[in-house]
Amino acid sequence: MTTTANTIVGRTTGSDAAHDRRITIALFAAGLTTFASMYNAQALLPSLSTAFGATPARAALAVSLTTGCLALAIVPVSALSSRIGRTRVMIGSAAAAAVIGLLVPFSPSLDALLAGRALHGIALAGVPAVAMAYLAEEIGAEGLGAAMGVYVAGTTIGGLAGRLIPSFTLDLASWRWAAAAVGVAAAACTVWFVRLLPPSRGFVARPAGLRTVFGDLGRQLRHRQLLALFGLAFVLMGGFVSIYNFLGYRLTQRPFELPAAVAGSVFLLYLAGTVTSAWGGRLADRVGRQRMLTASMAVMGLGLALSVPDRLGCVVAGVLLYTAGFFAAHTVASAWVGTLARGNRGAASSLYLFFYYLGSAVVGGLSGLAFAHAGWVGLVGIVGALLAAGAVLFAVATIRSRDAVPSAAASPVESRATAKLCR
């Protein structure tokens, strides 16, 4: 992948080529370490339940607390980076997260592990909150799209590796070794990132008081169409994380009883999102956001229904369709936010990320109660209700869009980046 990054950025000519190349490769490493650390607990949930005698809902807090604390930290960390610098925030964030990741496997109890995962979420917030602004400041418009693409590749591969590494390790050792394997890999990527990241050239401090920050946020929240899209991010991401949080339980229990490594390989279905996010964005430009979002959510509903029968082929096909539809819908919705934002688009993007990860935390945790009470059918019922709520929110956004006067459109790079930084 480093070769790919070098090739892409190598098109830049002049003395800035080496600088841009270092930035791109460094951000690729940052994407790897951040998203591997964020989602590795998802593959460990059944093992945590066994090791600590915890219910699925309680074990799922290892994911929900991380994404929830990250959501709460997104906005203040973004504001902090405008004061002290993008590189300081990203390096501090990645380093702190790497240290916490190495300590989590030594947790003596589930409560200690959950506390560590909550701190992990706060520490991790610095990279996704700042990366897009940093790249826009440091790399010229001609090379920005390619650089952003390499960073996004890092987040995708990191998220997948964070799920697969512990899944395969669990066949050989305990959850502690599985978590340690991800921790060591994330720490190595952090060192790679810190050593490569050059000093910032384009950053200009923009100190902003609380009144300015809250004013920017309030301006976006008063836009009803944007508010509907923020709600859509909450419910769709909440349902998506719920499916993957408890899919491992279903596959390792009756009637399937798959080995942990085999059950963990289902996370490869996540790659469907890599394809449909790019495809969905391009198709939305042709047929319109409303049609594309409608089709995407319909595919999600079809996949959800297909996952209900106790047949492995149906479950895999259903989750594949649900994943593909989710990422297409998410890409369209987040790009739509970029075109509707008033004034400070960074504030709108931060709010979208906030609701996105908050949905992961709140719904991803609470849906475990439905799974514990009624199994997969109960979980499907909750996710289906969220999908219906998403359809209502989409209708609100669509109705208002007929009369709304949009602001100047965000750049294609910014719109696509907001969608993909959430992975």
Side-chain angles (χ1 to χ4, degrees):
M1 192 65 207
T2 300
T3 303
T4 302
N6 290 342
T7 300
I8 293 173
V9 184
R11 295 171 186 159
T12 304
T13 59
S15 61
D16 290 339
H19 180 261
D20 289 0
R21 185 181 300 111
R22 285 185 62 187
I23 288 175
T24 303
I25 299 173
L27 266 292
F28 173 77
L32 284 176
T33 185
T34 302
F35 283 77
S37 298
M38 191 185 307
Y39 289 114
N40 73 87
Q42 205 166 46
L44 298 175
L45 296 184
S47 297
L48 294 179
S49 289
T50 301
F52 295 109
T55 63
R58 181 162 170 74
L61 290 174
V63 178
S64 296
L65 284 173
T66 303
T67 54
C69 289
L70 184 149
L72 294 175
I74 281 282
V75 173
V77 166
S78 179
L80 178 65
S81 74
S82 295
R83 284 178 172 266
I84 68 172
R86 315 296 188 195
T87 56
R88 287 184 180 181
V89 168
M90 287 192 294
I91 289 174
S93 172
V99 172
I100 295 171
L102 291 172
L103 294 176
V104 164
F106 297 99
S107 301
S109 66
L110 183 59
D111 286 340
L113 183 146
L114 294 178
R117 289 291 294 171
L119 291 174
H120 220 173
I122 296 172
L124 287 168
V127 175
V130 175
M132 184 170 69
Y134 172 77
L135 284 174
E137 290 169 351
E138 297 298 317
I139 293 181
E142 185 175 328
L144 182 57
M148 188 64 72
V150 175
Y151 169 64
V152 168
T155 67
T156 303
I157 296 171
L160 182 60
R163 293 165 168 99
L164 291 181
I165 291 174
S167 295
F168 291 122
T169 306
L170 285 172
D171 261 5
L172 305 173
S174 70
W175 73 266
R176 296 184 188 275
W177 285 102
V182 178
V184 170
C189 288
T190 299
V191 172
W192 184 22
F193 162 61
V194 172
R195 292 191 64 181
L196 274 177
L197 191 69
S200 179
R201 293 179 179 178
F203 173 74
V204 177
R206 292 183 290 275
L210 289 177
R211 180 177 297 180
T212 302
V213 172
F214 285 120
D216 287 340
L217 296 176
R219 191 174 299 110
Q220 312 307 325
L221 290 172
R222 286 192 295 272
H223 191 307
R224 294 184 183 178
Q225 193 177 0
L226 277 176
L227 198 57
L229 293 175
F230 295 154
L232 187 64
F234 179 92
V235 297
L236 292 187
M237 181 57 170
F240 177 73
V241 167
S242 297
I243 291 292
Y244 276 96
N245 273 358
F246 303 106
L247 184 60
Y249 287 98
R250 187 183 187 196
L251 295 178
T252 55
Q253 296 171 358
R254 293 182 179 179
F256 303 115
E257 297 182 312
L258 299 178
V262 177
S265 64
V266 76
F267 288 116
L268 288 168
L269 297 177
Y270 185 83
L271 291 174
T274 303
V275 176
T276 59
S277 59
W279 173 78
R282 289 195 298 268
L283 191 56
D285 290 338
R286 295 182 182 179
V287 303
R289 296 189 187 96
Q290 297 173 15
R291 290 181 180 177
M292 190 62 212
L293 201 48
T294 299
S296 299
M297 293 175 69
V299 170
M300 291 176 68
L302 176 61
L304 191 63
L306 191 57
S307 73
V308 173
D310 287 332
R311 296 181 180 178
L312 187 58
C314 287
V315 174
V316 171
V319 174
L320 175 67
L321 287 174
Y322 187 88
T323 303
F326 166 78
F327 276 108
H330 164 51
T331 298
V332 175
S334 54
W336 200 349
V337 168
T339 66
L340 292 173
R342 293 174 174 174
N344 186 350
R345 289 198 185 98
S349 296
S350 294
L351 283 170
Y352 186 88
L353 290 171
F354 168 75
F355 282 102
Y356 183 86
Y357 286 117
L358 189 66
S360 169
V362 175
V363 181
L366 293 179
S367 60
L369 300 176
F371 181 76
H373 180 71
W376 189 258
V377 173
L379 181 69
V380 166
I382 294 296
V383 176
L386 290 170
L387 194 56
V392 173
L393 289 166
F394 168 55
V396 171
T398 300
I399 291 170
R400 292 196 60 81
S401 70
R402 294 172 183 170
D403 302 318
V405 179
S407 62
S411 70
V413 169
E414 183 177 357
S415 298
R416 289 194 299 268
T418 303
K420 295 178 181 178
L421 286 175
C422 301
R423 291 184 180 176

